[in-house]
Amino acid sequence: MADLKFDAGGLGAVAGSYTIGLAVASLGLGRWLDRSSLPRAVLTATGLGIAGGVTAAATSSLPMLAIGLFASGVSSSTYQMSAGRILQNSVGGGGHGVAFGWFQSAKPVAVAVAGAFGMLATLGVGWRASFAGVTAVTAVLAAVLALWCVDHEPGTQKRSIEGGSRQGIVLLAALMALGFGLTNISTTFLSDTVQVAGPAALGSGALLTVGGLLAAVGRVAAGRLTDVTGWDELALVAPAFIAAGIGSILVGTLAWSAIVTGFLLIFALGWAFGGLLVAQGTRRYPGNSAAVVGVLLVGGAIGGSVSPPIFGAAATTWGYDVAWRGWGVAMLIAGLCAGVLAFRRQHSGQRRLKGGSDS
């Protein structure tokens, strides 16, 4: 922010550009990925990711940084939709939830890796070198994935999402929008919030690393819980959002102990939504796993691209205390709404079962 001379509003806009790239790819590539060669898709995503990372590392202006992150967003969407197709074709019903929990745990692990690169700043490593390092790690992992895809190419699917079932996927996409808003805000503004509160830069990098690892564990545990209990995934999304709301309000106090507690709540519990929503979507529409992940990513991209600029503008105008508390209230309301939806769906299902047994 200091080198390129922009404030929290600019930071939010840059974060939003990544998610806009995610949306563009998710809108146009889902159906193609359900039918195309996975190695080709992975190589395409890798090329875009490397181009985006190099552009971000070499940027001299805010618009150039936004372009680099936009390309990275397109790359990320392609990877995620491809992974959704791989898992749906490879995993049995008994391990569905935990499999997609592992899949979604990759995101917070990436956040932990980013936090580790951020801590290198204390050793004198510049932010440009950190961007380049993340890009290099991505390229290596992508090469391994591309080689794996050559030997494990799943079959293609040709069914389409039925018109009568679109309401369900729209609901999941709306919840994904709120969740992406949460993840983008919590990662984008963590460091600057910590700086405002006073601790050294090492504190924000360490918090991001620990939080990312806790989020990974939380996503896997949530998926495992749905497999074991058979609960509707929305029944777990509700308390996840409520925990995130409480955590955000704690962060809004700008006291160091409350910031640590609040962010750990956000990461460990609030981030659990990802695997739950993807698992439910692909379970409901098994013939269109990549396309369904694409629809969910579109919803997530809308929330993820809109939320950071609004949050950044609020933080610039009124301060981080007001911005975090306002976001916390919004997440509490979202959690309560998800809880009501889960309760209504459960009772609706019970009534249908009872009607069937009576007949």
Side-chain angles (χ1 to χ4, degrees), residues 148-171:
W148 185 91
C149 286
V150 171
D151 295 327
H152 298 82
E153 177 78 25
T156 59
Q157 302 286 345
K158 296 185 178 180
R159 287 182 290 174
S160 61
I161 299 174
E162 297 297 330
S165 63
R166 289 183 185 276
Q167 275 190 339
I169 200 69
V170 169
L171 170 62

Side-chain angles (χ1 to χ4, degrees), residues 21 55 85 93 115 120 122 141 158 204 235 310 356:
T55 301
R85 178 181 158 196
L120 293 177
T122 61
L141 293 175
K158 296 185 178 180
S204 62
I310 294 175

Side-chain angles (χ1 to χ4, degrees), residues 100 106 189 204 262 294:
F100 279 92
F189 295 98
S204 62

Side-chain angles (χ1 to χ4, degrees), residues 244-327:
I246 295 171
S248 298
I249 291 172
L250 286 173
V251 172
T253 65
L254 297 184
W256 174 236
S257 60
I259 285 176
V260 172
T261 304
F263 273 120
L264 293 182
L265 270 176
I266 291 170
F267 283 112
L269 300 179
W271 276 46
F273 75 93
L276 297 171
L277 294 178
V278 175
Q280 183 166 120
T282 55
R283 177 168 54 79
R284 288 187 168 197
Y285 313 102
N288 300 92
S289 49
V292 166
V293 173
V295 172
L296 294 182
L297 288 177
V298 170
I302 292 172
S305 58
V306 170
S307 299
I310 294 175
F311 185 95
T316 301
T317 305
W318 298 297
Y320 275 118
D321 53 344
V322 174
W324 278 111
R325 287 168 179 167
W327 176 248

Side-chain angles (χ1 to χ4, degrees), residues 3-29:
D3 286 352
L4 300 181
K5 298 180 175 57
F6 60 89
D7 57 16
L11 183 63
V14 168
S17 69
Y18 169 89
T19 321
I20 291 172
L22 199 78
V24 168
S26 302
L27 280 169
L29 298 180

